Amino acid sequence: MDKVLSVSLGEIALKGLNRKYFEDQLIKHIRRAIKDIGFEKIYKEQGKIYIQAEEQFFPQMINRLRKVFGLVYISPCIKVEKDVDEIENAVLEAVKEKIEAEKIKTFKVDTNRADKNFPIKSPDFSRQMGGVILKAFNELSVDVHTPDTLVYIDIKQNTYIYTDKIKGHGGMPIGTNGKGLLLLSGGIDSPVAGFLMAKRGVEISAVHYHSYPFTSERAEEKVKDLAGILSRYTGKITMYSVNILEIQKEINAKCPEKEMTILSRRFMMRIAEKIAEKQNINALITGESLGQVASQTIEGISVTNAAVKLPILRPLVGLDKVDIIEIAKDIETFETSTLPFEDCCTVFLPKHPVTKPRIEDIEKSEEVLDVEYLIENAIENMKVTTIE
């Protein structure tokens, strides 16, 4: 009996003629995730992907694979030939391991006969294997409604027996839905936004704005740490670090105080768009949630949108803070996000920021600024870091 890991696909299974492309992308990311652990081979068989490797590496592999988007479930399996005696032995081995691990009392057998040439139909084979289990383990009984464990039997080219389905994040493989430039701050929201768009198959790069020396180098390191955590899910992230202190000084000196936040936001969007265009990136991504802060009203978002032509993706727009924090904790960015280091948004923060800005007022304020020079100067002096 061989031991393998099986990987169940999510939306990829619905992709029809394009399915092979999505599967190949997924296999590429699986290889990336476990390349330093070592495996014998990765292969496809009738709707699933299988990884053949040493069983001792399974826990470490499962931990890595849970962070690969496109995987719905991961299961350690026993792989045998389509021989009834071999299947019986494998089923008994799987149940024995489950009893030792969890002290189960009830079970149900679930057979999926993908190979219709196998002579016994699925319901009949489930009953047959249930009888084998009952005969071997007197302490167990069948419960078809709420069993302690399900014993899965997948009959394909080979037969796979397993009792655990470890949940992955699902979604789509990275890179199958274009590229996005994430405006990454040191807060809770933007890493979650990056995670959610990566889950939809978007390849993530990041731009971070700071106001050094008004903000500390440690604040920038915090953002790099967040990008590092995010890269566990997204793969390599190219991060563009842009100092906008001179822009903020100009706005502070020449524009109404209440417009500081929204004007700064428009500059951030323009800079991000310039970077995106040079790097052939398709969209911008932000962690904005409607109504959460003064600049995130419908009016504020509309004025921000008007500064650029690229689409701005806001995956958190309908979530409240509790929802966002739960995701941040799950993906392990929350603790780093809450470290007490200031970011550029706290510099020149207005006492009473405008909450319902009008585009004509904002554009009039920008007339006194050399917008193109300020943008080009900021980009010319930015730093580029690769984080993996």
Side-chain angles (χ1 to χ4, degrees):
M1 291 185 286
D2 293 327
K3 296 290 184 75
V4 298
L5 287 177
S6 78
V7 169
S8 299
L9 314 182
E11 295 174 61
I12 295 174
L14 306 176
K15 289 300 177 181
L17 295 177
N18 293 322
R19 176 169 174 165
K20 184 180 183 302
Y21 164 72
F22 286 91
E23 288 179 342
D24 290 345
Q25 289 296 306
L26 181 57
I27 289 173
K28 181 182 77 172
H29 292 300
I30 289 172
R31 289 182 181 276
R32 172 186 60 80
I34 62 174
K35 63 183 179 181
D36 62 322
I37 300 175
F39 55 89
E40 295 176 31
K41 66 177 179 177
I42 298 174
Y43 63 95
K44 295 185 285 186
E45 189 174 320
Q46 291 178 284
K48 287 188 180 182
I49 294 170
Y50 294 91
I51 304 164
Q52 191 166 317
E54 295 289 334
E55 188 180 3
Q56 61 180 319
F57 299 130
F58 282 8
Q60 189 179 1
M61 285 185 170
I62 290 167
N63 184 52
R64 299 273 189 89
L65 293 171
R66 285 191 67 250
K67 297 178 175 68
V68 175
F69 294 126
L71 311 187
V72 178
Y73 293 108
I74 307 146
S75 299
C77 301
I78 300 173
K79 173 186 173 184
V80 295
E81 299 291 329
K82 284 180 294 187
D83 174 83
V84 174
D85 290 336
E86 284 197 36
I87 295 171
E88 283 186 8
N89 291 334
V91 165
L92 294 178
E93 178 64 23
V95 172
K96 179 184 175 183
E97 290 177 1
K98 192 69 173 178
I99 291 172
E100 291 173 351
E102 299 183 20
K103 310 296 183 186
I104 61 168
K105 296 296 183 184
T106 61
F107 73 94
K108 176 185 175 182
V109 178
D110 185 352
T111 301
N112 177 25
R113 188 180 60 125
D115 181 359
K116 302 306 180 185
N117 291 321
F118 188 75
I120 308 172
K121 293 183 178 179
S122 295
D124 296 333
F125 198 64
S126 291
R127 283 191 289 269
Q128 182 176 328
M129 290 299 107
V132 169
I133 293 170
L134 289 172
K135 184 177 179 180
F137 301 100
N138 295 327
E139 69 272 28
L140 296 183
S141 60
V142 174
D143 184 341
V144 296
H145 300 295
T146 56
D148 294 337
T149 194
L150 279 160
V151 180
Y152 298 96
I153 304 173
D154 289 351
I155 302 172
K156 303 181 176 183
Q157 182 178 338
N158 297 282
T159 303
Y160 300 90
I161 297 93
Y162 54 100
T163 58
D164 292 314
K165 295 174 74 173
I166 299 153
K167 195 171 182 181
H169 285 289
M172 303 296 295
I174 296 289
T176 57
N177 266 325
K179 300 178 180 180
L181 183 61
L182 171 67
L183 277 69
L184 182 62
S185 73
I188 296 169
D189 301 338
S190 57
V192 174
F195 168 84
L196 291 177
M197 292 316 304
K199 183 178 176 180
R200 299 310 308 154
V202 177
E203 182 181 327
I204 300 294
S205 298
V207 56
H208 168 61
Y209 299 103
H210 64 91
S211 304
Y212 183 80
F214 282 35
T215 54
S216 68
E217 290 184 355
R218 185 63 189 90
E220 189 173 355
E221 288 300 316
K222 170 186 171 180
V223 176
K224 289 181 180 178
D225 291 342
L226 285 170
I229 297 169
L230 198 56
S231 73
R232 298 172 191 169
Y233 301 91
T234 65
K236 179 178 66 177
I237 293 177
T238 300
M239 191 172 94
Y240 305 90
S241 184
V242 183
N243 191 329
I244 60 167
L245 180 57
E246 293 306 314
I247 294 172
Q248 291 174 308
K249 285 181 176 179
E250 282 288 289
I251 296 171
N252 185 59
K254 297 179 180 179
C255 302
E257 180 194 14
K258 66 180 181 178
E259 295 175 356
M260 181 70 195
T261 301
I262 198 71
L263 286 168
S264 296
R265 195 75 180 163
R266 280 167 62 88
F267 269 96
M268 291 179 189
M269 291 297 179
R270 289 183 176 117
I271 291 168
E273 183 177 55
K274 291 277 188 182
I275 296 169
E277 288 173 347
K278 290 178 181 178
Q279 302 301 324
N280 295 316
I281 294 172
N282 314 103
L284 308 180
I285 303 167
T286 78
E288 293 165 292
S289 174
L290 188 62
Q292 189 173 149
V293 297
S295 64
Q296 294 176 18
T297 60
I298 286 180
E299 293 85 354
I301 287 173
S302 297
V303 170
T304 299
N305 285 353
V308 295
K309 295 179 181 178
L310 276 182
I312 303 172
L313 307 178
R314 296 180 171 92
L316 310 186
V317 71
L319 303 184
D320 62 31
K321 200 68 175 183
V322 174
D323 299 326
I324 298 167
I325 287 172
E326 285 181 1
I327 299 171
K329 288 180 177 178
D330 182 49
I331 66 175
E332 300 178 335
T333 56
F334 179 76
E335 186 175 338
T336 301
S337 291
T338 52
L339 293 174
F341 297 106
E342 71 287 348
D343 63 27
C344 67
C345 295
T346 62
V347 179
F348 306 113
L349 190 67
K351 293 180 181 178
H352 302 289
V354 60
T355 57
K356 296 184 178 182
R358 299 192 309 164
I359 186 64
E360 55 267 31
D361 295 335
I362 298 302
E363 289 178 343
K364 185 175 181 181
S365 295
E366 288 178 341
E367 289 176 1
V368 301
L369 303 171
D370 191 341
V371 173
E372 287 304 316
Y373 168 77
L374 290 168
I375 290 172
E376 291 300 329
N377 186 59
I379 290 175
E380 186 177 333
N381 292 287
M382 74 182 177
K383 295 185 295 184
V384 183
T385 308
T386 299
I387 297 172
E388 187 169 11

